[in-house]
Amino acid sequence: MHISEYDFDVMKVIKEGFRRIEGIKQPFLIAFAIYLAVAIVVQMLLGLVFPSDPENPNIVNQQIVAILSYPVLIPLLTGIMMMAVKQGRGNKDALDVKSIFEYYPLAGKLSFASLLIYLLTMFLPMMIMLFPGVLLAGAGENAVPVLMIIAMFVLLFVVMYLSIAYIFTLPLIADKGLGVWEAMELSRKTVAKRWGKVALVVTILSLAAVVGVLTFGIGLIWAIPLFFVTLYGLLYVMIFDDVEEM
């Protein structure tokens, strides 16, 4: 697919996101509550098979539970993203909460994409951390701190870059009918054009969510709809539908 040229003002996007959630917060909150409820049930059931003691957590089992939950949870998460996309396009049925269940036929593709993103943003960086260990075997004591610092910076860069770059992968699969790798690459190459600005938007929205939690959850009434509407109802539509820049 064509990689669009685009640009936007970060603060204008955030302000427009706040404007757009007025009067439509409830459907997004209900949809996200459904997602959380399903996530809790699925994690509990899988936890019976792959237990992990809170006092002595089993990291491997925790990762297995997370990955096995993808076919159930990722289509729901994609459904919330698509609610925002449709609302951003002015679709009259966009805020029908039942629509979040429509993406289970794509569970295989969505789950595989999520698994690949996990491997590239978490597993690969962990492998990178092993390289300094190999190098240190023949390095002097003075080289140890330098190599560790380099490894940490490489790890941080890889995680940050890919996590932001792949942020539009799931809606591209659901909305445009793209294959897994095609959607990942289109998202990465498109976001790369304005990676800094997209990353700043994600950071602001994430901080808003943190503030929401710190206010005993009250702030989440705004933060949750703001996250989906701004990223997917506003930015995704602007970038991939070639609408007017902000």
Side-chain angles (χ1 to χ4, degrees), residues 53-57:
D53 188 343
E55 296 182 359
N56 186 23

Side-chain angles (χ1 to χ4, degrees), residues 55-180:
E55 296 182 359
N56 186 23
N58 186 319
I59 304 300
V60 174
N61 279 3
Q62 288 179 347
Q63 297 305 309
I64 292 173
V65 167
I67 292 171
L68 290 180
S69 69
Y70 283 175
V72 178
L73 300 182
I74 299 301
L76 287 178
L77 185 61
T78 303
I80 303 175
M81 295 176 184
M82 289 306 300
M83 275 180 59
V85 170
K86 293 175 183 177
Q87 193 276 332
R89 291 172 177 159
N91 190 316
K92 294 181 180 179
D93 300 322
L95 300 180
D96 182 0
V97 176
K98 296 191 296 295
S99 68
I100 67 173
F101 297 99
E102 294 178 356
Y103 300 92
Y104 277 105
L106 296 172
K109 288 174 68 175
L110 295 170
S111 299
F112 185 49
S114 299
L115 177 60
L116 284 181
I117 292 171
Y118 164 76
L119 292 175
L120 290 172
T121 57
M122 297 300 293
F123 184 76
L124 178 60
M126 285 189 290
M127 292 300 99
I128 291 174
M129 286 296 293
L130 294 179
F131 286 107
V134 174
L135 295 172
L136 291 178
E141 291 184 2
N142 293 334
V144 173
V146 175
L147 291 174
M148 290 303 297
I149 292 172
I150 293 173
M152 290 301 296
F153 272 107
V154 171
L155 172 65
L156 183 62
F157 174 79
V158 171
V159 171
M160 287 180 60
Y161 173 77
L162 293 180
S163 296
I164 299 299
Y166 289 137
I167 201 163
F168 296 125
T169 298
L170 299 181
L172 281 172
I173 292 173
D175 180 43
K176 307 294 186 183
L178 300 183
V180 170

Side-chain angles (χ1 to χ4, degrees), residues 130-240:
L130 294 179
F131 286 107
V134 174
L135 295 172
L136 291 178
E141 291 184 2
N142 293 334
V144 173
V146 175
L147 291 174
M148 290 303 297
I149 292 172
I150 293 173
M152 290 301 296
F153 272 107
V154 171
L155 172 65
L156 183 62
F157 174 79
V158 171
V159 171
M160 287 180 60
Y161 173 77
L162 293 180
S163 296
I164 299 299
Y166 289 137
I167 201 163
F168 296 125
T169 298
L170 299 181
L172 281 172
I173 292 173
D175 180 43
K176 307 294 186 183
L178 300 183
V180 170
W181 189 250
E182 187 182 6
M184 290 174 65
E185 281 296 276
L186 181 58
S187 178
R188 182 185 65 80
K189 291 177 181 178
T190 304
V191 170
K193 289 179 174 291
R194 295 288 183 270
W195 187 90
K197 288 189 174 183
V198 176
L200 185 54
V201 170
V202 173
T203 300
I204 292 172
L205 295 175
S206 300
L207 289 174
V210 172
V211 172
V213 172
L214 294 178
T215 56
F216 304 98
I218 296 175
L220 293 177
I221 295 174
W222 289 268
I224 291 172
L226 182 67
F227 183 89
F228 288 102
V229 169
T230 304
L231 267 185
Y232 301 104
L234 188 55
L235 270 189
Y236 174 89
V237 172
M238 182 192 78
I239 295 169
F240 295 101

